[in-house]
Amino acid sequence: MATDSDTPLSRRERERRTRRQAMLRAAESVFAEKGYPHATLEEIAERAEFGKGTLYNYFEGGKEEIFFAVLDTIYDELCDLIARSVADAANGTDPRARYHALVVRALAFYHDREDLFVILIKEAYRMCFSHDASKVAYFQRQQERMVNALLPMLQQADENGALRDLPLEAIAHLLIENIDGLIVHRAIMANHPDRPTSCQHQSILDDPEKAATFLTTMLFDGVAAPPSA
Amino acid sequence: MATDSDTPLSRRERERRTRRQAMLRAAESVFAEKGYPHATLEEIAERAEFGKGTLYNYFEGGKEEIFFAVLDTIYDELCDLIARSVADAANGTDPRARYHALVVRALAFYHDREDLFVILIKEAYRMCFSHDASKVAYFQRQQERMVNALLPMLQQADENGALRDLPLEAIAHLLIENIDGLIVHRAIMANHPDRPTSCQHQSILDDPEKAATFLTTMLFDGVAAPPSA
DNA sequence: TCACCGAATGACTGACCAGTCACCTTCCTT
DNA sequence: AAGGAAGGTGACTGGTCAGTCATTCGGTGA
């Protein structure tokens, strides 16, 4: 990570990384389309414009190593997204504004790079119920990273007395999970716009701003009617 | 459905149904353990104590038809669970109490029949991003059934002015999704109890009553601190 | 008792694919 | 320019598994 620019890389090494990146991008699109089990190395190689054997020069561990390398980039981007939204001074210290910004960015990210999210949603839940302990541990570690990226904001809010007295990790999990949930919900509805749905519901799904406001209100203030109104 | 007891079934027919049920039960356990892609008909047949060919006498569509038949039973049970919790007079008309009861029942159901939930979680999300429109539609239909099972309670609460003015379908989705989320969260933590976690957080996860109370508070009253306290 | 038929069976087929490796190409060094 | 190293390649292998079908089994009615 930190060694990226320590020493100027040789052309060899630069080319090697470029090729590796190309392979990862190809893998990304194939995994997203087919899901892990139906993705074939043949197709990944073809899209990356390499022979299948070449993949093994870059990823000794074969299909699985490629897959986890793709997952790593996804989680890196997500953690970065969370950290940036939370740290953005424009949102002040109001946890609602910060969460709202996070949701909007997450939806934009989904819009730009649908592939990545789809891989996560298709594979992550499967992995966390896998019987292979190392896979479960990987997933757990990545979840923890995301929660930790969100925690500073919650801690600050908590110190300001803005939060109910509940475990912060649990709140962080809930806030993150619900973003996934929202994206899934939007995706399902987008695929089949012909179902009967109230206009209000539809507009919440269509407009990222409204969706973010909806989720922020739901989670921070609850679905119960406010006492005064 | 309604014809189950219209005419007394012949012994032939009764036996046929019993065998079909046995096959579905076997399939359930194999799908839960291996996930759809790694489950083999060989193993399903073996656990059901039939030959592989026999499966095709009961499910012409092969593996996929068996899988959807299993999914059907899962969704039937879940809808039933929701409807029963919501209708239970013991919970009065307070939506919090009703939702709390639903969460407790869902956790108990998960405890009893972990297999079924695991199949759902492993496969349903994958399906809803599948490129096969009929699969997406199936998933959407089942989600809709669950939402509809929950809606009466929300409508009643809404008429009593107990709910914020938000689309009821969206609220229903949120309430249901968060039960899944809670179960996943518990499952992850249960697998690896050696991670650093606050005691408070741990006890929420371990005790179904506390977990249900936590989720009910979070979703109905929000994570923000109440104004007076 | 026998002939019949619906049901059960599992060896077999064809398709698929991860991973290997012997060969080829490209480019650097001397 | 020759020699060699580094890297690329895709035909091939071994294994897996869904789905088929010719055969066998067992219960039933004559």
Side-chain angles (χ1 to χ4, degrees):
Chain A
M1 285 268 161
T3 60
D4 264 12
S5 51
D6 279 7
T7 38
L9 297 164
S10 64
R11 182 177 55 73
R12 268 243 143 76
E13 190 54 25
R14 267 181 286 126
E15 282 178 358
R16 193 174 169 78
R17 294 199 181 191
T18 307
R19 285 188 221 109
R20 210 184 123 101
Q21 280 308 110
M23 289 171 188
L24 284 179
R25 255 178 289 118
E28 218 173 271
S29 72
V30 178
F31 282 131
E33 259 173 52
K34 311 284 172 79
Y36 183 75
H38 291 107
T40 70
L41 290 186
E42 204 79 60
E43 187 162 1
I44 293 173
E46 198 185 346
R47 288 200 202 176
E49 293 176 286
F50 287 99
K52 178 159 58 139
T54 311
L55 295 181
Y56 285 86
N57 294 338
Y58 289 80
F59 302 92
E60 266 191 55
K63 191 179 183 182
E64 191 164 296
E65 184 178 334
I66 295 175
F67 181 62
F68 278 96
V70 169
L71 283 187
D72 282 345
T73 69
I74 301 176
Y75 279 111
D76 285 351
E77 293 207 46
L78 287 181
C79 288
D80 194 52
L81 184 101
I82 295 173
R84 270 188 293 120
S85 305
V86 159
D88 193 338
N91 303 315
T93 57
D94 173 17
R96 278 184 192 76
R98 288 167 147 193
Y99 184 66
H100 185 278
L102 169 58
V103 177
V104 170
R105 283 198 206 212
L107 290 173
F109 180 66
Y110 173 68
H111 186 261
D112 288 347
R113 314 210 48 200
E114 186 173 337
D115 285 3
L116 292 184
F117 252 102
V118 170
I119 295 174
L120 262 200
I121 287 161
K122 278 188 172 169
E123 310 305 333
Y125 286 117
R126 159 178 307 243
M127 203 155 66
C128 79
F129 282 95
S130 139
H131 286 182
D132 177 341
S134 70
K135 297 224 182 71
V136 180
Y138 175 86
F139 181 71
Q140 202 180 12
R141 221 179 315 127
Q142 298 291 5
Q143 287 281 102
E144 210 176 303
R145 274 179 70 201
M146 292 204 293
V147 167
N148 285 338
L150 193 57
L151 267 185
M153 159 191 133
L154 292 178
Q155 275 157 353
Q156 195 180 359
D158 193 35
E159 280 160 22
N160 296 343
L163 295 184
R164 202 175 283 275
D165 184 28
L166 292 165
L168 296 184
E169 293 105 316
I171 294 179
H173 260 285
L174 191 96
L175 294 181
I176 289 172
E177 261 168 28
N178 272 282
I179 297 177
D180 281 359
L182 176 65
I183 288 171
V184 172
H185 191 177
R186 280 166 55 100
I188 295 172
M189 292 307 168
N191 273 342
H192 290 254
D194 50 310
R195 293 250 153 206
T197 317
S198 78
C199 295
Q200 206 188 350
H201 187 194
Q202 199 59 55
S203 76
I204 282 178
L205 292 172
D206 289 344
D207 178 352
E209 278 292 328
K210 283 188 188 162
T213 303
F214 169 77
L215 200 57
T216 305
T217 303
M218 288 281 240
L219 295 178
F220 279 84
D221 302 312
V223 302
S228 58
Chain B
M1 285 267 165
T3 59
D4 265 11
S5 50
D6 279 7
T7 38
L9 297 164
S10 63
R11 182 180 55 73
R12 269 249 140 78
E13 189 54 24
R14 266 180 287 127
E15 282 177 357
R16 192 173 170 79
R17 294 199 180 190
T18 306
R19 286 188 220 109
R20 209 185 123 101
Q21 280 308 110
M23 290 171 188
L24 283 179
R25 257 179 288 118
E28 216 174 273
S29 72
V30 177
F31 282 130
E33 260 172 51
K34 310 285 171 81
Y36 183 74
H38 291 109
T40 70
L41 289 185
E42 203 79 60
E43 187 161 0
I44 293 173
E46 197 186 347
R47 288 202 201 175
E49 295 176 283
F50 287 99
K52 177 156 61 137
T54 312
L55 295 181
Y56 285 85
N57 294 338
Y58 289 81
F59 301 92
E60 267 191 55
K63 192 179 184 183
E64 191 164 297
E65 183 176 335
I66 295 175
F67 181 63
F68 279 96
V70 169
L71 283 187
D72 282 345
T73 68
I74 301 176
Y75 279 111
D76 285 350
E77 292 205 47
L78 287 180
C79 288
D80 194 51
L81 184 102
I82 295 172
R84 269 187 294 119
S85 305
V86 158
D88 192 339
N91 303 314
T93 58
D94 174 18
R96 279 184 193 74
R98 287 167 148 193
Y99 184 65
H100 185 280
L102 169 57
V103 177
V104 170
R105 284 198 205 214
L107 290 174
F109 180 65
Y110 173 68
H111 186 262
D112 288 347
R113 313 210 50 199
E114 185 173 338
D115 286 3
L116 291 185
F117 253 101
V118 170
I119 294 174
L120 260 200
I121 288 161
K122 277 188 172 168
E123 310 306 333
Y125 286 117
R126 159 178 307 244
M127 203 155 66
C128 80
F129 283 94
S130 137
H131 285 181
D132 177 340
S134 71
K135 297 223 183 71
V136 180
Y138 175 86
F139 181 70
Q140 200 179 14
R141 221 179 316 127
Q142 298 291 4
Q143 288 281 100
E144 209 177 304
R145 273 180 68 201
M146 293 203 292
V147 167
N148 285 338
L150 192 58
L151 267 185
M153 158 192 133
L154 292 178
Q155 275 158 354
Q156 194 180 358
D158 193 36
E159 281 159 21
N160 296 342
L163 295 184
R164 202 175 283 275
D165 184 28
L166 292 166
L168 296 184
E169 293 105 317
I171 294 178
H173 260 284
L174 191 96
L175 294 180
I176 290 172
E177 261 168 27
N178 273 282
I179 296 177
D180 281 359
L182 176 66
I183 287 171
V184 171
H185 192 177
R186 280 166 56 102
I188 295 171
M189 293 306 168
N191 273 342
H192 290 253
D194 50 311
R195 293 251 152 205
T197 317
S198 79
C199 294
Q200 204 188 351
H201 187 193
Q202 198 58 57
S203 77
I204 281 177
L205 291 172
D206 289 344
D207 178 351
E209 277 293 328
K210 282 189 188 161
T213 303
F214 169 78
L215 201 58
T216 305
T217 303
M218 289 280 240
L219 295 177
F220 278 85
D221 302 312
V223 302
S228 57

